[in-house]
Amino acid sequence: MISPEHVEGAETINAAQAKALFDQGAVFIDLRPQEDFAKGHIAAAININIAGAFNRNMIEKKIPKDQTVIFYCYGVHCLRSYTACVRAVSWGYQKVKYFRDGLPAWIAADYPVRSGI
């Protein structure tokens, strides 16, 4: 399955745009399971497994609604970031970034990755 290219109410961004936001201190949410997050993730990303703890209360505790938030996962063959963006927009978040290409594009661009939790 291929993830949709756009999410209504969110902005689809590529790796270069994600890196620019990273450099500005934007919040990145990694939606993958903790064991995959531990193997490697975007430096400073917060891990909230969409199949687990991801819900409105959890997100509202971590991210103010007026803050830019970037959701990512395994890339275009994963629906996690798409689903998270749809939910965040429905919860009133207005600066939602859909990093559809996700971690594979980030790594391919040789941007900062960390391992561990």
Side-chain angles (χ1 to χ4, degrees), residues 4-68:
E5 292 183 18
H6 304 284
V7 175
E8 188 173 337
E11 178 185 359
T12 302
I13 60 172
N14 61 30
Q17 292 167 310
K19 177 62 165 69
L21 291 165
F22 174 87
D23 291 342
Q24 295 170 16
V27 176
F28 282 72
I29 304 292
D30 185 314
L31 300 153
R32 302 171 307 139
Q34 188 175 34
E35 53 273 10
D36 290 342
F37 179 82
K39 292 175 187 174
H41 57 272
I42 293 173
I46 299 168
N47 181 224
I48 306 175
N49 184 353
I50 196 156
F54 187 90
N55 61 53
R56 185 177 190 155
N57 289 335
M58 172 63 75
I59 296 301
E60 287 179 350
K61 285 179 188 176
K62 298 199 178 277
I63 307 156
K65 287 189 177 183
D66 62 347
Q67 187 170 357
T68 299

Side-chain angles (χ1 to χ4, degrees), residues 9 18 28 41 46 59 70 75 92 99-100 107 109-110 112 116:
F28 282 72
H41 57 272
I46 299 168
I59 296 301
I70 298 97
F99 185 18
R100 180 177 180 256
I107 291 170
D110 201 28

